[in-house]
Amino acid sequence: MFKKLISKEKFADLIKDDMVLMIGGFLNCGTPEALVDIIIQKKVKNLTIICNDTSFPDKGIGRLVAEKMVGKVITSHIGTNPETGKQMVDGSLKVDLVPQGTLIERIRAGGMGMGGFLTPTGVGTMVEEGKQKMTIDGREYLLELPLKADVSLIKGGSVDQAGNVIYNGTARNFNPIIAFAAETVVVEAEKLVEIGNLVPDHIVTPAPLVDFIYDPSQN
Amino acid sequence: MIEDVKLAKQIIAKRIAKEFGNDQIVNLGIGLPTLVANHIPPEVNVYLQSENGIMGMGPAPEPGSENPDITNAGGSLVTVLPHGSYFDSATSFGLIRGSHVEYTVLGALEVDQEGNLASWIIPGKRVPGMGGAMDLVVGARNVIVSTLHTDKGKPKILKKCKLPLTAVKVVKMIVTELGVFKVTSDGLVLTEIHKDSNIEEIKANTEADFKVAENLKTME
């Protein structure tokens, strides 16, 4: 049961150049900051990051951008991180802006076995460019396609040693959804507890979805 | 014109707060729309929804009781009311896209007489991204634009939006410090006017064509 606990070194080995990462968090609330620290120390290159927003230049996902480790970002908002905008303009960072509800649903589709979905969001705007349109019951929809990743990095509030996760407040956001959508899922545990200390009724992310647990207090 | 921007925003926020009914779900955007929360009458129980995953959002926390894991969609620390709840982003946008949200209140760069809204990008100048705005205006039952009447004298209520759109024909109501407009099948209609304004002033500061409602009311 303890085999899921991962060291700093072993986590660093998992993350490689050119990987596609999904990272939880909404303006840094619910971002696994200790895992981001390890990636920054490893100095990887050309990551593709799928995330709600690119946070701030000195926080979480924003630091990966500021350290120039990101080649492409698929996100809904970059306004709080001037570095993202700067690199987008100079051409060193490709930015794919996606409406927030469409972004999370594309991730959900990727993780939950759907080939895509139809949404009214973006019809008649720049977002519809290049997309298939369908009319259902007289209303126009865009066909949006699923997203998947190599590794998802999630932040758990209380995590047991099997990998069950409960989230705190609004730190939940993208985390339980990206936990479905990657080959490998790593949870950073704010509080790691013994098996049996979480109430099964309260668990949001079931243990088998989580491959590795990182406990910053033990590293 | 009301020159005091702070006062103008208060006028707008106060008027919008009167729209909401008991137990309705309301999403308030960042900035001016957030001020609306301060004017909701205590006898009306509105569920403030925040797209990062809150139903029943409360005010800012008292000093000393801040929790970094309770934030709003602008990243500010907030509280959650005793009857509130948390959920993930997919559920949050299910609430939004699924028309469970009664009102979304948001700002505009431009809004036009057909109810088109431009609020997320000024190409080549400012590209913050759309965040949740495109989903909100398409999904919510009622879209209220809260905006100062002009951008430093330049009209914001236009015949046709020039900037890239957030959504097509979604706005139902526009509230400025000078008055209230409704977007109807019969075009834009001025339904209320602020006591310190007049029709001539509104015409001079509005590019859009609009009609004046027969029962034009004073905006309160």
Side-chain angles (χ1 to χ4, degrees):
Chain A
M1 277 300 182
F2 292 87
K3 67 182 180 209
K4 281 189 177 176
L5 270 176
I6 194 173
S7 67
K8 203 175 194 170
E9 292 70 28
K10 192 157 179 221
F11 173 70
D13 286 346
L14 274 181
I15 307 299
K16 300 185 170 69
D17 292 350
D18 308 311
M19 266 190 167
V20 179
L21 305 184
M22 288 181 182
I23 306 179
F26 194 117
L27 288 174
N28 216 48
C29 178
T31 295
E33 194 82 38
L35 295 179
V36 171
D37 279 336
I38 300 169
I39 299 174
I40 286 173
Q41 283 161 20
K42 188 175 177 185
K43 300 193 190 310
V44 287
K45 292 192 299 284
N46 198 36
L47 295 171
T48 293
I49 306 286
I50 302 171
C51 54
N52 181 69
D53 56 83
T54 57
S55 191
F56 306 93
D58 60 342
K59 288 204 170 75
I61 297 161
R63 289 189 295 147
L64 294 172
V65 175
E67 296 284 339
K68 302 194 182 343
M69 293 182 181
V70 186
K72 181 179 177 182
V73 64
I74 303 174
T75 190
S76 73
H77 201 267
I78 62 171
T80 53
N81 190 340
E83 191 57 37
T84 311
K86 208 175 111 196
Q87 292 179 26
M88 178 176 70
V89 171
D90 74 25
S92 59
L93 173 62
K94 189 176 179 317
V95 178
D96 192 356
L97 287 170
V98 180
Q100 206 165 95
T102 298
L103 179 60
I104 193 65
E105 199 63 16
R106 287 179 67 190
I107 296 169
R108 201 173 81 94
M112 299 192 187
M114 296 186 289
F117 62 97
L118 300 175
T119 178
T121 303
V123 169
T125 75
M126 279 161 66
V127 168
E128 74 172 29
E129 284 167 20
K131 287 178 188 152
Q132 194 178 334
K133 269 167 126 174
M134 293 174 82
T135 303
I136 311 281
D137 286 339
R139 192 175 190 191
E140 276 193 306
Y141 294 85
L142 303 182
L143 174 65
E144 293 283 1
L145 302 177
L147 286 171
K148 294 192 109 168
D150 297 310
V151 182
S152 277
L153 308 180
I154 69 176
K155 170 77 181 285
S158 297
V159 181
D160 72 15
Q161 284 173 326
N164 287 301
V165 184
I166 291 175
Y167 300 92
N168 293 338
T170 56
R172 188 179 308 199
N173 56 66
F174 271 43
N175 286 300
I177 311 299
I178 65 172
F180 280 80
E183 284 296 314
T184 304
V185 176
V186 184
V187 60
E188 176 181 319
E190 186 163 323
K191 194 171 138 202
L192 185 64
V193 302
E194 296 287 334
I195 289 168
N197 283 5
L198 299 182
V199 181
D201 269 335
H202 297 173
I203 288 162
V204 179
T205 299
L209 288 176
V210 173
D211 297 290
F212 298 107
I213 303 165
Y214 180 74
D215 179 5
S217 72
Q218 292 184 35
N219 279 273
Chain B
M1 288 288 269
I2 293 145
E3 300 294 343
D4 181 345
V5 170
K6 207 175 158 194
L7 174 67
K9 288 182 177 178
Q10 292 296 333
I11 291 167
I12 296 164
K14 200 175 151 201
R15 172 60 189 85
I16 292 172
K18 290 189 185 8
E19 287 297 297
F20 311 146
N22 225 11
D23 292 340
Q24 288 178 337
I25 303 174
V26 173
N27 183 295
L28 302 174
I30 315 293
L32 164 53
T34 303
L35 299 177
V36 174
N38 303 334
H39 298 276
I40 300 170
E43 66 275 17
V44 179
N45 172 47
V46 164
Y47 284 88
L48 292 180
Q49 193 252 7
S50 188
E51 61 268 32
N52 59 325
I54 305 177
M55 185 69 78
M57 184 167 57
E62 297 291 335
S65 63
E66 298 92 346
N67 181 342
D69 287 336
I70 307 176
T71 56
N72 67 13
S76 300
L77 296 170
V78 291
T79 54
V80 169
L81 298 175
H83 55 287
S85 54
Y86 299 109
F87 32 80
D88 63 68
S89 293
T91 305
S92 192
F93 280 90
L95 285 160
I96 290 165
R97 209 187 300 100
S99 294
H100 304 284
V101 173
E102 195 69 31
Y103 289 96
T104 184
V105 182
L106 76 174
L109 294 165
E110 298 172 347
V111 56
D112 71 28
Q113 61 198 43
E114 293 175 4
N116 299 312
L117 172 69
S119 67
W120 73 280
I121 185 172
I122 305 174
K125 274 192 187 166
R126 216 169 71 85
V127 188
M130 66 291 276
M134 284 193 177
D135 301 279
L136 278 160
V137 297
V138 164
R141 288 171 186 266
N142 296 283
V143 177
I144 302 179
V145 165
S146 64
T147 179
L148 294 175
H149 202 90
T150 68
D151 176 15
K152 298 180 185 89
K154 198 172 142 232
K156 293 178 85 170
I157 306 172
L158 309 178
K159 290 184 201 299
K160 193 96 189 161
C161 288
K162 297 176 186 79
L163 291 168
L165 296 181
T166 307
V168 176
K169 295 185 181 172
V170 289
V171 177
K172 289 207 173 157
M173 187 175 181
I174 305 164
V175 181
T176 81
E177 72 278 27
L178 302 186
V180 177
F181 293 91
K182 293 211 168 137
V183 182
T184 73
S185 52
D186 201 24
L188 198 60
V189 180
L190 180 71
T191 56
E192 295 172 38
I193 188 164
H194 189 264
K195 63 178 171 52
D196 297 333
S197 188
N198 55 65
I199 306 267
E200 289 66 37
E201 180 184 59
I202 293 182
K203 277 193 173 152
N205 288 285
T206 307
E207 188 209 272
D209 301 319
F210 65 91
K211 290 175 185 162
V212 178
E214 279 176 24
N215 57 340
L216 182 69
K217 292 184 185 131
T218 302
M219 180 186 180
E220 286 177 63

